[in-house]
Amino acid sequence: MEASSRASRSRNVPDLFKNPKIPFALALIVADAILVALIIAYVPYTKIDWDAYMSQVSGFLGGERDYGSLKGDTGPLVYPAGFLYVYSVVQNLTGGEVYPAQILFGVLYIANLAIVLFIYVKTNDVVPWWALTLLCLSKRIHSIFVLRLFNDCFAMTLLHASLAFFLFHKWHLGMLLFSGAVSIKMNVLLYAPPLLLLLLKAMNIFGVVSALATAALVQILVGLPFLITYPVSYLANAFDLGRVFIHFWSVNFKFVPERVFVAKEFAVCLLIGHLSLLVAFANYKWCKHEGGIIGFMRSRRFFLTLPSSLSFSDLSISGSLAKEHIVTTMFVGNFIGVVCARSLHYQFYSWYFYSLPYLLWRTSFPTWLRLILFLGIELCWNVYPSTPVSSALLMGLHLTVLLGLWFAPSDYPYIFKPHLRHKKQK
């Protein structure tokens, strides 16, 4: 009886004491919260875009719906309408004052860190517990959140939250958050190609279409006040894919001459490289176990035939995607976009920093090389202003990580192997 009672108590022991990563992650959150509080209290705020954000929001709240007329001291508004809603709330909560906004962004930083740690804990066979510390060690990331107050912080927090939903195959809820992140800043679209592949793997055609429709509906509803008044102005300014960034602020291509940097041919070459890398990774890495892209599409021919009566539970297909495959595909797809980005500004580091430990431990590199790569990338992002040497070094480090990911083994993408299950049933 006593032995049975002990066994029952052991079964009821919370996961907190079963997985060493969980208490360590909680300790990191507490420690980083203290560090964030100290940064806000003692490190001077750096004025960059805050005043422009507040001017643009004030124009929106004042009734202006022509996107071309929503301007700040850094120029016209170039973000989708979700940005305006988020920063309208921020302005309402803080009165437009910097110090309370820093506190709000400090809370956002900790919330984002908690979500990212949750993702890492759920993929517990990839990154060792001690390497979670790397997620708290970036000087530049702390600065982006609590000393710069960039909109990238909200966009990436929503993106990470959507990824957490994807881990549990909550694709429609995840797509809501994903589209919300896109409505704040378009860089989140770098995750779109790998996400589309995951949707095709996880659901039948009706599920994929409904998930994409959910994301599209969010964009329509968010932009509706502008789409029904000045649609051309909204679409041209909020979704301008042809913007040319200033060479001085480029962190990744400062070693390229300015005349080349601003040339359209340079942008086209980068786009071709981006698409080529995505196709190569999709064919030889992400769909390797399905026989490449062609083999994968052939295996999904039944997508085209739908039963006459379809319930919501029928949207998924057999063979649930493994959490590690979901995270790896999303993080690598985004990283390819970062490597091929025409220009990376300092706040863009937040686009992929939180994936770096995961990506490094997805390679077959020895631990010492992983740490050198991580510290080297962090160092390059802390050189201000960037130099030809620092940007060339950053590109070299990025390409080294990408090569490591290319030559790393590809794990089986599903939790179980459907064909083996069917054989057992026979």
Side-chain angles (χ1 to χ4, degrees):
M1 188 75 176
E2 187 176 337
S4 174
S5 177
R6 282 200 300 270
S8 177
R9 284 197 299 271
S10 67
R11 284 195 299 268
N12 292 328
V13 173
D15 289 341
L16 177 64
F17 302 103
K18 293 180 180 178
N19 186 349
K21 278 189 177 181
I22 297 178
F24 188 72
L26 292 174
L28 286 177
I29 291 172
V30 172
D32 213 351
I34 295 172
L35 176 59
V36 166
L38 292 173
I39 292 173
I40 293 173
Y42 295 105
V43 180
Y45 159 78
T46 304
K47 176 185 174 182
I48 298 181
D49 284 344
W50 176 256
D51 289 345
Y53 289 173
M54 292 300 100
S55 296
Q56 292 158 355
V57 165
S58 296
F60 166 64
L61 295 177
E64 181 60 68
R65 295 297 179 266
D66 182 355
Y67 239 63
S69 300
L70 293 173
K71 298 179 180 180
D73 56 12
T74 59
L77 179 58
V78 294
Y79 309 120
F83 161 85
L84 288 172
Y85 302 140
V86 168
Y87 275 85
S88 293
V89 174
V90 171
Q91 187 185 75
N92 183 61
L93 292 175
T94 65
E97 298 296 323
V98 168
Y99 182 69
Q102 286 184 279
I103 296 174
L104 179 62
F105 273 77
V107 174
L108 180 68
Y109 173 91
I110 296 301
N112 178 64
L113 177 63
I115 295 168
V116 172
L117 287 169
F118 175 81
I119 293 169
Y120 274 74
V121 167
K122 286 300 177 181
T123 54
N124 52 31
D125 293 330
V126 178
V127 180
W129 63 269
W130 59 267
L132 297 179
T133 309
L134 298 176
L135 296 168
C136 306
L137 295 183
S138 174
K139 175 184 176 182
R140 177 62 64 186
I141 292 297
H142 283 91
S143 174
I144 289 169
F145 271 82
V146 298
L147 298 179
R148 306 296 193 273
L149 315 179
F150 287 121
N151 61 325
D152 305 73
C153 306
F154 283 102
M156 295 313 299
T157 300
L158 279 181
L159 182 279
H160 292 142
S162 73
L163 182 53
F165 276 102
F166 294 149
L167 293 185
F168 294 93
H169 309 124
K170 305 296 183 182
W171 300 102
H172 289 77
L173 289 174
M175 288 300 289
L176 280 173
L177 292 173
F178 179 85
S179 190
V182 172
S183 77
I184 297 173
K185 192 158 187 177
M186 276 203 308
N187 71 282
V188 177
L189 287 175
L190 292 178
Y191 284 93
L195 177 56
L196 177 59
L197 179 62
L198 292 174
L199 291 175
L200 290 169
K201 286 190 174 192
M203 295 186 290
N204 62 30
I205 190 63
F206 186 82
V208 173
V209 171
S210 63
L212 294 177
T214 298
L217 181 61
V218 170
Q219 293 302 315
I220 293 172
L221 292 176
V222 166
L224 194 59
F226 307 95
L227 291 172
I228 61 178
T229 51
Y230 299 93
V232 175
S233 177
Y234 176 66
L235 295 174
N237 288 279
F239 299 97
D240 181 8
L241 298 176
R243 272 197 302 153
V244 179
F245 293 100
I246 299 174
H247 183 252
F248 176 81
W249 294 110
S250 178
V251 180
N252 59 331
F253 278 121
K254 200 65 171 288
F255 63 92
V256 174
E258 186 171 2
R259 60 182 177 79
V260 175
F261 178 83
V262 299
K264 186 176 181 180
E265 293 79 6
F266 182 60
V268 171
C269 288
L270 290 174
L271 178 60
I272 293 172
H274 185 190
L275 296 177
S276 299
L277 284 170
L278 285 174
V279 171
F281 269 83
N283 191 63
Y284 297 105
K285 304 296 291 184
W286 305 331
C287 292
K288 177 181 179 180
H289 295 275
E290 293 94 340
I293 296 175
I294 302 299
F296 166 70
M297 296 309 295
R298 284 175 178 170
S299 70
R300 295 298 188 265
R301 280 181 298 181
F302 65 87
F303 278 5
L304 300 178
T305 59
L306 293 175
S308 56
S309 61
L310 185 67
S311 66
F312 192 79
S313 60
D314 293 326
L315 301 183
S316 62
I317 63 174
S318 60
S320 296
L321 291 175
K323 292 180 174 64
E324 292 76 14
H325 180 67
I326 294 172
V327 176
T328 300
T329 303
M330 290 286 281
F331 280 171
V332 174
N334 176 68
F335 185 67
I336 290 171
V338 168
V339 172
C340 298
R342 187 175 185 178
S343 183
L344 295 176
H345 293 182
Y346 285 98
Q347 65 267 35
F348 297 0
Y349 190 27
S350 62
W351 296 1
Y352 75 108
F353 166 77
Y354 286 103
S355 68
L356 272 178
Y358 191 95
L359 294 174
L360 289 168
W361 262 264
R362 264 308 187 189
T363 69
S364 299
F365 294 150
T367 299
W368 62 267
L369 181 55
R370 292 166 175 156
L371 294 176
I372 288 176
L373 289 169
F374 180 87
L375 293 174
I377 291 172
E378 174 69 18
L379 175 64
C380 290
W381 280 99
N382 282 282
V383 173
Y384 178 83
S386 61
T387 66
V389 173
S390 68
S391 65
L393 176 59
L394 180 63
M395 180 58 69
L397 293 169
H398 281 172
L399 292 175
T400 301
V401 175
L402 196 61
L403 281 173
L405 292 166
W406 177 258
F407 289 108
S410 299
D411 293 338
Y412 192 76
Y414 300 99
I415 294 175
F416 56 83
K417 300 182 180 181
H419 68 280
L420 294 180
R421 184 188 67 170
H422 295 325
K423 286 181 181 179
K424 288 180 181 179
Q425 289 176 345
K426 291 179 181 178

